[in-house]
Amino acid sequence: MNRDLRIKSRIMLISIVCVIGLIGLFKVSHMNNLEYNKALTEINFSGAYSPLSSEKATVTNVYQKANPAVVRVTSTRLLTTSKDDDELDLPEDHPDINKRSRGVGTGCIIDESGYIITNQHVIENAEQVKVRLIDNTELPAEVVGSDKATDIALLKIKSRAPLSVMPLGDSNKLLIGETVVAIGNPYSYDRSLTTGVVSAKGRKVFNTLYEDYIQTDAAINVGNSGGPLLNLAGELIGVNTVIRADANGISFAIPVNQIKQIISQLKTHRRVIRGFLGIQPDDLTDDIRDGLKLDVSEGAVITYVNSGSAAAKAGIQIYDVIVKFAGKQVVDKDSLYRYIAETQPGLDIEIEVIRDNKHKFLTAKLTEREEQKIPSPNPKNSLKKASFGRVGFAVEDKNSKTEKMLQVAGSNKIPGVVITEVDPLSTAADAGLQRGFVITEVNKIPVNSKSDFDKVVKGLSKGDVLLLRVAGDRGVTVPYFIAAVRLMD
């Protein structure tokens, strides 16, 4: 009898230990996921101004506070065009075949060391990205990383002067009807201010997985993309992204709480790492709920399970209704998608499902979601450089070949050197120099030959400015203009 009792006691003890161990495992995995998500949202950005108090919460004060932390983002893309018959038999990869197009957007400085957020579509396929600060200083920007799925990009600049920094707010606290302020560069009208209210939250526009837009009636136009949507405390609560072109007063912004998740990963990994469960969920409608004879109103019903996926290995089945994921309530399929995406791959996650009207607790080890990776621009490798030198363009003496390039009537009689090619990503291109223009003076010194030009340039250092008098047709009556070109490496 005593022996049997001892055996039973040991069995009970072992069972209790096992149960406690399983509970501990679930708790540890849940805590690991919470710690992971907490680490993602606690971004090490610094230098933001203090939010405005309720007594000072006016649109004017918000603009004055936030405007210095708003930047103009200019991206340059190269467009390859076919060569004209009258050109000098140039190869297809010749720099003169490359033409450039420019896009303008807006960005927000979120860290005193130079981190800036904007939209991914503003810098997509850019060979060169520049940022203009409030004092009109223009600086090259590095694309740290971008995420096409949420349309967020993280840039970084190096500024000698201190930067004004915008604080990140809490978009979960936004209320419908709350006043919001937008600042941006619509149609290149720099630093335009518009106001409105929060019209709705949790909106979808393109019906993609991670959409959770704030809808506002603040006027947003082309060029506002990537710019801030602010509350009356002057905090960033969204990034303006999408407009409804066929409507009046319907605009959308990415909520800042979603952005925090994205930029922390872009800063650390230069890309976004998302969890993948391997399911196709759908919303739990009233009809589906009645068909499954359920007494719950929230959840996501599983319509498909990928073979060999984390979901399949965990035992998730079609018709299962997921009601909790890692301890968080699943409201619908969109909330489930977001929870999965925000979860670190490799962690054991507890998933609560309802199957045949019974609650089951399953454990899934998520894998990484394979998504299209967007390479960062690499201007150094984007062109097969010709003899641009430090000035960003090449010149030649006048001869029978260069005369074919001349773009201004009578310029064959003007003394000077002919521009034969221009780097489309250089300050020379920014200054308006084009192939076929004639340079007559450099730093007020007349130049009659390439050797004259080279002598002047040879005595200059990186960062010095060439002041050029140029004969070139820019659509004005007198075809002369002054161009300033800063020397490169």
Side-chain angles (χ1 to χ4, degrees):
M1 183 73 176
N2 291 338
R3 184 172 178 271
D4 292 340
L5 185 60
R6 285 197 299 271
I7 293 173
K8 288 180 180 179
S9 298
R10 289 176 182 175
I11 292 173
M12 286 182 64
L13 180 62
I14 292 170
S15 301
I16 292 169
V17 170
C18 290
V19 170
I20 292 172
L22 288 172
I23 292 172
L25 176 62
F26 286 142
K27 187 175 181 181
V28 168
S29 66
H30 179 53
M31 288 304 297
N32 283 342
N33 194 47
L34 290 177
E35 289 170 3
Y36 170 74
N37 289 327
K38 184 180 179 183
L40 290 181
T41 55
E42 290 183 352
I43 312 162
N44 186 24
F45 291 137
S46 59
Y49 59 76
S50 299
L52 295 168
S53 63
S54 57
E55 294 80 13
K56 297 182 178 180
T58 66
V59 171
T60 300
N61 287 341
V62 169
Y63 183 78
Q64 291 176 348
K65 198 79 168 176
N67 190 34
V70 178
V71 300
R72 176 188 175 108
V73 179
T74 304
S75 60
T76 304
R77 303 168 180 84
L78 296 185
L79 306 174
T80 302
T81 58
S82 60
K83 57 183 180 178
D84 297 328
D85 293 335
D86 59 349
E87 290 185 348
L88 301 178
D89 296 323
L90 298 175
E92 289 295 338
D93 61 350
H94 192 280
D96 283 336
I97 303 299
N98 291 310
K99 307 299 179 184
R100 67 181 188 168
S101 96
R102 277 186 155 181
V104 175
T106 309
C108 317
I109 303 173
I110 58 168
D111 179 74
E112 61 187 352
S113 64
Y115 284 102
I116 295 169
I117 52 175
T118 187
N119 282 142
Q120 186 272 338
H121 74 258
V122 170
I123 55 89
E124 186 173 16
N125 298 324
E127 298 286 345
Q128 182 184 75
V129 179
K130 291 185 177 180
V131 164
R132 185 186 296 172
L133 305 178
I134 191 171
D135 63 357
N136 289 327
T137 300
E138 194 165 54
L139 299 170
E142 172 198 359
V143 178
V144 177
S146 61
D147 181 53
K148 191 167 188 175
T150 55
D151 200 10
I152 288 295
L154 184 64
L155 312 179
K156 195 170 191 300
I157 59 173
K158 294 180 180 179
S159 173
R160 295 178 181 176
L163 297 172
S164 180
V165 175
M166 195 176 292
L168 306 183
D170 185 352
S171 51
N172 289 342
K173 294 181 180 179
L174 273 180
L175 300 175
I176 307 301
E178 183 175 338
T179 299
V180 286
V181 177
I183 305 174
N185 306 302
Y187 295 102
S188 294
Y189 293 112
D190 284 3
R191 303 184 178 281
S192 297
L193 169 73
T194 57
T195 64
V197 298
V198 176
S199 304
K201 298 195 296 182
R203 290 298 201 204
K204 280 185 170 289
V205 179
F206 306 108
N207 204 33
T208 57
L209 292 183
Y210 311 121
E211 290 179 330
D212 188 29
Y213 291 119
I214 301 165
Q215 180 185 331
T216 175
D217 65 348
I220 304 297
N221 291 284
V222 176
N224 277 105
S225 291
L229 189 69
L230 302 137
N231 60 19
L232 288 184
E235 297 171 317
L236 180 71
I237 47 87
V239 166
N240 299 313
T241 301
V242 183
I243 59 173
R244 182 72 187 253
D246 59 347
N248 183 19
I250 300 181
S251 307
F252 301 94
I254 305 167
V256 74
N257 287 14
Q258 183 180 24
I259 293 169
K260 291 174 185 177
Q261 293 272 350
I262 301 304
I263 58 178
S264 59
Q265 292 212 53
L266 294 180
K267 183 183 178 185
T268 305
H269 307 294
R270 304 182 74 91
R271 64 187 183 92
V272 177
I273 300 172
R274 293 186 170 92
F276 181 71
L277 185 57
I279 55 169
Q280 178 67 49
D282 207 345
D283 290 334
L284 185 63
T285 64
D286 289 343
D287 291 341
I288 293 174
R289 182 193 63 194
D290 292 344
L292 294 174
K293 296 179 173 58
L294 299 176
D295 58 359
V296 295
S297 58
E298 295 181 342
V301 61
I302 305 304
T303 62
Y304 183 79
V305 178
N306 293 27
S307 177
S309 66
K313 293 175 181 177
I316 295 175
Q317 300 177 11
I318 297 172
Y319 298 113
D320 281 353
V321 176
I322 297 181
V323 292
K324 281 192 177 181
F325 183 92
K328 293 176 284 189
Q329 188 69 40
V330 174
V331 177
D332 51 23
K333 67 177 181 181
D334 291 333
S335 64
L336 178 58
Y337 272 133
R338 286 195 296 273
Y339 296 156
I340 294 170
E342 294 168 0
T343 300
Q344 180 185 12
L347 289 182
D348 290 324
I349 300 302
E350 183 185 39
I351 301 173
E352 183 179 347
V353 306
I354 300 177
R355 181 187 303 164
D356 299 329
N357 251 327
K358 295 179 181 178
H359 287 254
K360 292 183 175 292
F361 297 87
L362 307 175
T363 304
K365 188 185 292 290
L366 271 61
T367 57
E368 181 179 347
R369 185 179 185 90
E370 293 294 328
E371 297 191 87
Q372 182 182 3
K373 296 180 178 61
I374 303 168
S376 297
N378 190 357
K380 294 182 179 179
N381 299 325
S382 61
L383 288 175
K384 294 182 179 178
K385 297 288 185 182
S387 53
F388 296 138
R390 297 183 298 154
V391 295
F393 62 95
V395 298
E396 293 291 341
D397 291 328
K398 288 187 175 182
N399 53 48
S400 58
K401 284 188 176 182
T402 57
E403 280 187 5
K404 296 180 182 179
M405 303 180 192
L406 298 177
Q407 295 192 26
V408 181
S411 57
N412 58 325
K413 298 179 182 179
I414 298 174
V417 291
V418 180
I419 298 175
T420 58
E421 50 192 297
V422 180
D423 179 353
L425 302 180
S426 65
T427 56
D430 293 341
L433 299 188
Q434 297 180 30
R435 182 172 180 264
F437 286 5
V438 176
I439 296 175
T440 62
E441 294 181 4
V442 180
N443 291 350
K444 300 182 180 181
I445 301 172
V447 291
N448 296 309
S449 64
K450 185 176 183 301
S451 60
D452 290 343
F453 179 87
D454 290 342
K455 284 178 184 177
V456 178
V457 174
K458 186 178 180 180
L460 301 176
S461 304
K462 174 189 174 183
D464 288 345
V465 174
L466 285 179
L467 200 63
L468 309 174
R469 187 167 189 259
V470 184
D473 186 4
R474 298 199 304 175
V476 294
T477 304
V478 180
Y480 281 98
F481 65 95
I482 304 298
V485 175
R486 192 172 299 276
L487 265 65
M488 304 178 293
D489 291 326

